[in-house]
Amino acid sequence: MTDQQTPKGTEALATFLIDLSPNDMAQRLHDALTVYVDAMRYPRGTEGQRAAMWLEHTRRHGWKAVAAVETATAAGEPAGPEALRSAPLLGIAYGYCGAPDQWWQQQVVAGLHRIGMPADDVGRLMGNYFELTELHIHPSAQGRGLGEALARRLLTGRSEANVLLSTPEIIGEANRAWRLYRRLGFTDVIRGYHFAGDPRAFAILGRSLPL
């Protein structure tokens, strides 16, 4: 996708969606984590705390990552691979197949049992899903539809039966993330959930695939 139209022969900034390999993620990890920290308004230094975990995630089964980048390009001309690989990062999204040995799945399964979901239903929900682990747009690029574009690219072609995610609870669901998830058809799985070691309340949301 591009987000600007200019007369032919001139240059302007354009936005593109690209897929990231595990090696691409390793090379752009600082940029990706900077988007994450700025989008979530976390303190500086959080990048270093999350780096090893994000790299470990790239080795999980079914891992996929997509990014939104911005680069100068001549009107009507595609951007070259090298330009896209080094272009400033505006957004990042990734996820992978859920599995019983993953901490997040263990936490959610425990929560489902606590709210009384029958064991068979828990098994169906958690037996074949894609975890949308991270989806972040830099504050300077929010409001341009990039979050939805990244989510759709990330989830296109997935073979899992459903997709699950967790997002912080917000009064009245009044932020861009919540509006995006509702627009994409995500519904409540668990509300007001507290992950071990985190004082914040989260919602677990899900929907069937394909999107």
Side-chain angles (χ1 to χ4, degrees), residues 29-48 50 54 89-92 134-142 176:
L29 185 61
H30 175 75
D31 297 340
L33 285 168
T34 297
V35 169
Y36 162 73
V37 168
D38 289 347
M40 297 296 288
R41 300 178 182 176
Y42 288 148
R44 288 296 170 193
T46 305
E47 302 97 321
R50 297 302 177 98
W54 280 40
L89 209 67
L90 301 180
I92 182 72
E134 305 289 352
L135 172 58
H136 306 287
I137 306 298
H138 192 273
S140 66
Q142 291 178 4
R176 283 195 171 100

Side-chain angles (χ1 to χ4, degrees), residues 93-116:
Y94 77 81
Y96 43 78
C97 299
D101 62 346
Q102 296 169 5
W103 178 85
W104 191 86
Q105 175 164 327
Q106 293 166 0
Q107 291 277 302
V108 174
V109 167
L112 293 172
H113 286 306
R114 281 201 293 272
I115 65 172

Side-chain angles (χ1 to χ4, degrees), residues 9-138:
T10 63
E11 281 198 345
L13 290 176
T15 304
F16 297 87
L17 303 184
I18 60 174
D19 296 327
L20 299 178
S21 69
N23 186 57
D24 293 332
M25 178 64 94
Q27 293 181 349
R28 300 298 302 267
L29 185 61
H30 175 75
D31 297 340
L33 285 168
T34 297
V35 169
Y36 162 73
V37 168
D38 289 347
M40 297 296 288
R41 300 178 182 176
Y42 288 148
R44 288 296 170 193
T46 305
E47 302 97 321
Q49 298 170 13
R50 297 302 177 98
M53 181 179 68
W54 280 40
L55 287 177
E56 188 274 326
H57 287 169
T58 67
R59 298 189 288 272
R60 295 191 175 185
H61 177 64
W63 180 88
K64 180 181 178 181
V66 296
V69 299
E70 188 172 64
T71 187
T73 183
E77 297 295 328
E82 290 301 323
L84 293 178
R85 275 196 288 269
S86 60
L89 209 67
L90 301 180
I92 182 72
Y94 77 81
Y96 43 78
C97 299
D101 62 346
Q102 296 169 5
W103 178 85
W104 191 86
Q105 175 164 327
Q106 293 166 0
Q107 291 277 302
V108 174
V109 167
L112 293 172
H113 286 306
R114 281 201 293 272
I115 65 172
M117 179 178 282
D120 287 349
D121 292 342
V122 173
R124 279 190 290 271
L125 179 65
M126 305 304 292
N128 183 23
Y129 73 94
F130 181 79
E131 181 189 330
L132 202 172
T133 312
E134 305 289 352
L135 172 58
H136 306 287
I137 306 298
H138 192 273

